[in-house]
Amino acid sequence: MSWFGLVLDGSPRINANVSSGTRDSGLRTRLRFRWIALSGLLLGLAAPISADPLATKLRGTGDLGLIVERAAGSLQRVETSTNSILSRIEGLGDLSHASLVYSRDARFAYVFGRDGGLSKVDLLESTLVKRVVQSGNSIGGAISQDGKLIAVGNYEPGGVRVFDAETLELVADLPATPVNGKPSKVVGLVDAPGNRFVFSLWDANEIWVADMSDPKAPQLTKFTDIGRQPYDALITPDGRYYIAGLFGEDGLALLDLWQLDKGVRRILPGYGKGEQPLPVYKMPHLEGWAMADDKVFLPAIGRHEVLVVDMRSWEEVGRIPVHAQPVFVMARPDGRQVWVNFAFPNNEKVQVIDSLSLQLIHTMEPGKGVLHMEFEPRGEEVWLSVRDLDKVQIYATEDFRLLKELPVDKPSGIFFTDRAHKIGL
Amino acid sequence: MPNALLAASLLLISGLPLVGLAAAEPGTGPSPARQLELRALLVQDCGSCHGLSLRGGLGPQLLPEALANKPEEYLVATILHGRPGTPMPPWQHFLSEDEARWIAQLLKRGLQ
């Protein structure tokens, strides 16, 4: 009896019936309630999904993520609470080197494809909302501090285009400095506080800061001769320092966004000390960079090393010899461990560095083609894309146990929604 | 005799990937299994810079139209020795000259 009563109390629609039935005697009302509750229960048994469409749709997005299937041009929508795949979103074009950013409500993802495609995906509805092909060839993008603008860095034609996050309509076009008659390729595009975008020009050796406070009239600050061939860049989580890695020379270019008047300075100049660098079969990424224990961990280019830099002085404080040339060097969210994956032909392994002792503490061999790593928001688990196995593997970061494998077609980037609230991601 | 034949064909089938890994005899071109590996290398690893569909990225486009006026020898040399001063690395540690030539011809012909 009281059990049925409980069911009644728990259902707002039946409570509505209670108010409409106030003229009935108490007994009849109770009997009717039982009958309604019983039929509701039977209905519930027949269809385990709630009859209320709103109830089935209500959910958060904080434990969701997307995995890029780069060859198929699709995304796997995943959930970190259950370590499972929820659905697949197709039709996104050429997703080689694809990356994405999230809207500030973490409902929508903006996906940047190699073919110049900019796609808006709805994480709740699991749909492709809109797709525009905004250039011939693009490399990545960023979302503005206020969440209203999406900037895309382009190779062809070189420059940055800025779009309305709601409609994907073009808001501003920022063609890059031409070199030999062609606008320079853009790399390392990030968002910065003050509704700014910061990016580097590969061919022109420049760093630009675009203030988008007035989206129709962007204010550009340009820094020239910043070093040869910036290939990627990062911004510190506080949004203060922008650091571009240089392919054409040993060293990195550092810009203090709090003190633009001080200009760009070189850090770690000549870190290779004149040694012949090794051929680079895959460019390292700085986006998923690592800051831990007041130190920055960076991939050395053309060397089997992770460079360690003191964040206050920007001086080198150590080098850690690793398995091969690093691609991603990423700190666990608490900064206690730094995980490293590697370039072709040594991309079968992952190594883990203790950020305090700077010692390698673990080497694992997930399989050929480990392309990306993404930590769950609080760092207890990490997801790895293993391209040649067509799998994403999930490991416990404390004891490196393999917890689960998910089937994903040629997986590359993995992006969880906690990125929505991080500067530079 | 039939048993020996069966064993020989089984050996041939199971040995195929191994045969594929070895460099091909000069002039004969890569084995079918090795051709599959080379195609995967081209799409996945060259694709890191040139795009999975070879429409370009940090590296230039590698579609037949883009390569039409580039001699085969030039492509073979670029693949084997790289392009100093650019990010194009030498691939001679992973590819024989015949394999580089097979890739150059495939690129000129188009992947499809």
Side-chain angles (χ1 to χ4, degrees):
Chain A
M1 292 295 179
S2 59
W3 189 64
F4 282 147
L6 202 67
V7 173
L8 280 172
D9 291 344
S11 166
R13 284 180 305 155
I14 291 173
N15 282 342
N17 281 344
V18 173
S19 55
S20 68
T22 45
R23 300 272 178 258
D24 292 338
S25 79
L27 179 65
R28 274 179 60 197
T29 309
R30 279 211 301 281
L31 283 172
R32 245 180 73 190
F33 285 178
R34 277 178 208 162
W35 174 240
I36 294 164
L38 189 62
S39 22
L41 186 73
L42 288 174
L43 266 172
L45 284 175
I49 298 166
S50 162
D52 184 346
L54 193 62
T56 60
K57 279 189 180 171
L58 279 176
R59 68 155 298 155
T61 57
D63 60 349
L64 296 184
L66 294 167
I67 303 175
V68 173
E69 295 185 311
R70 63 183 210 153
S74 49
L75 300 168
Q76 291 284 3
R77 180 169 153 266
V78 297
E79 186 186 67
T80 55
S81 296
T82 53
N83 286 348
S84 60
I85 290 174
L86 299 182
S87 62
R88 190 181 207 192
I89 303 164
E90 296 177 330
L92 285 98
D94 181 351
L95 290 187
S96 52
H97 204 287
S99 63
L100 58 87
V101 296
Y102 287 105
S103 62
R104 61 193 287 150
D105 61 4
R107 173 169 179 178
F108 298 101
Y110 300 91
V111 187
F112 311 102
R114 167 63 88 201
D115 54 5
L118 167 62
S119 307
K120 185 175 180 179
V121 164
D122 186 334
L123 275 175
L124 286 179
E125 301 277 5
S126 187
T127 51
L128 175 60
V129 179
K130 192 163 184 185
R131 175 175 150 80
V132 295
V133 176
Q134 55 82 41
S135 80
N137 202 303
S138 68
I139 180 65
I143 184 163
S144 61
Q145 187 175 36
D146 65 7
K148 292 180 178 162
L149 302 170
I150 304 294
V152 192
N154 287 320
Y155 279 169
E156 187 63 51
V160 170
R161 285 190 174 144
V162 183
F163 297 85
D164 183 304
E166 187 65 37
T167 61
L168 300 192
E169 272 161 28
L170 185 69
V171 174
D173 190 10
L174 309 171
T177 308
V179 175
N180 300 327
K182 277 184 72 178
S184 172
K185 294 184 169 107
V186 167
V187 298
L189 168 63
V190 300
D191 61 283
N195 239 36
R196 292 179 292 179
F197 293 116
V198 189
F199 48 94
S200 302
L201 309 188
W202 159 265
D203 309 280
N205 305 333
E206 295 177 7
I207 293 175
W208 288 17
V209 179
D211 185 334
M212 302 299 297
S213 303
D214 177 1
K216 295 282 179 202
Q219 299 295 312
L220 295 174
T221 310
K222 302 176 184 179
F223 299 87
T224 55
D225 293 320
I226 58 102
R228 288 189 54 225
Q229 294 171 314
Y231 65 88
D232 195 15
L234 61 85
I235 188 165
T236 50
D238 58 6
R240 176 170 182 181
Y241 296 104
Y242 178 83
I243 303 171
L246 301 174
F247 180 80
E249 59 188 270
D250 287 341
L252 300 106
L254 174 81
L255 178 62
D256 182 350
L257 296 170
W258 291 9
Q259 306 181 80
L260 286 181
D261 54 312
K262 295 210 166 167
V264 173
R265 68 183 253 219
R266 198 68 46 86
I267 59 170
L268 304 188
Y271 66 72
K273 297 190 176 76
E275 296 158 30
Q276 185 64 30
L278 301 166
V280 175
Y281 293 98
K282 184 171 173 62
M283 283 285 178
H285 279 255
L286 294 178
E287 171 263 320
W289 73 309
M291 191 177 80
D293 193 34
D294 293 327
K295 297 185 284 272
V296 181
F297 294 74
L298 298 163
I301 190 155
R303 292 181 170 77
H304 293 186
E305 287 173 340
V306 169
L307 306 172
V308 189
V309 185
D310 182 291
M311 267 204 70
R312 290 187 207 88
S313 64
W314 295 105
E315 299 288 329
E316 177 181 326
V317 291
R319 290 170 183 223
I320 303 160
V322 286
H323 164 62
Q325 287 187 47
V327 174
F328 282 99
V329 176
M330 304 180 90
R332 197 170 73 176
D334 65 347
R336 190 66 184 84
Q337 299 174 348
V338 175
W339 287 55
V340 188
N341 74 333
F342 302 100
F344 173 92
N346 306 109
N347 56 16
E348 79 291 359
K349 286 188 184 164
V350 168
Q351 290 188 310
V352 184
I353 295 165
D354 178 307
S355 60
L356 210 51
S357 67
L358 306 187
Q359 299 296 308
L360 277 179
I361 52 168
H362 190 68
T363 299
M364 58 170 76
E365 192 166 338
K368 270 199 79 84
V370 179
L371 295 191
H372 196 222
M373 308 174 278
E374 178 89 333
F375 291 94
E376 293 195 3
R378 298 198 184 202
E380 75 280 18
E381 291 172 10
V382 64
W383 294 38
L384 306 183
S385 280
V386 193
R387 184 194 62 201
D388 290 6
L389 296 182
D390 292 311
K391 277 177 184 163
V392 164
Q393 298 180 343
I394 305 168
Y395 290 88
T397 58
E398 221 28 63
D399 57 11
F400 314 112
R401 253 177 323 127
L402 176 63
L403 300 173
K404 199 164 180 184
E405 293 187 315
L406 302 174
V408 183
D409 183 359
K410 298 278 176 288
S412 57
I414 307 171
F415 304 89
F416 295 146
T417 52
D418 61 312
R419 288 170 172 255
H421 308 112
K422 289 179 182 165
I423 295 169
L425 297 180
Chain B
M1 193 59 185
N3 274 350
L5 202 64
L6 185 68
S9 22
L10 275 178
L11 193 70
L12 196 69
I13 295 162
S14 60
L16 220 50
L18 278 177
V19 174
L21 283 172
E25 293 286 310
T28 58
S31 68
R34 179 61 177 161
Q35 288 183 18
L36 281 181
E37 290 177 359
L38 293 176
R39 270 180 182 269
L41 180 88
L42 186 59
V43 170
Q44 300 296 338
D45 294 302
C46 304
S48 293
C49 280
H50 297 279
L52 286 194
S53 53
L54 305 179
R55 288 173 196 281
L58 197 60
Q61 212 185 92
L62 299 179
L63 296 176
E65 313 85 91
L67 302 177
N69 58 359
K70 304 249 188 320
E72 188 180 305
E73 285 311 317
Y74 171 86
L75 298 181
V76 173
T78 302
I79 294 169
L80 289 177
H81 307 297
R83 295 276 303 278
T86 80
M88 178 65 185
W91 292 82
Q92 57 190 346
H93 299 298
F94 312 104
L95 301 171
S96 70
E97 190 173 335
D98 274 357
E99 290 169 347
R101 187 170 305 282
W102 183 84
I103 289 174
Q105 290 167 353
L106 178 64
L107 288 173
K108 277 184 149 294
R109 217 168 47 237
L111 230 58
Q112 306 311 321

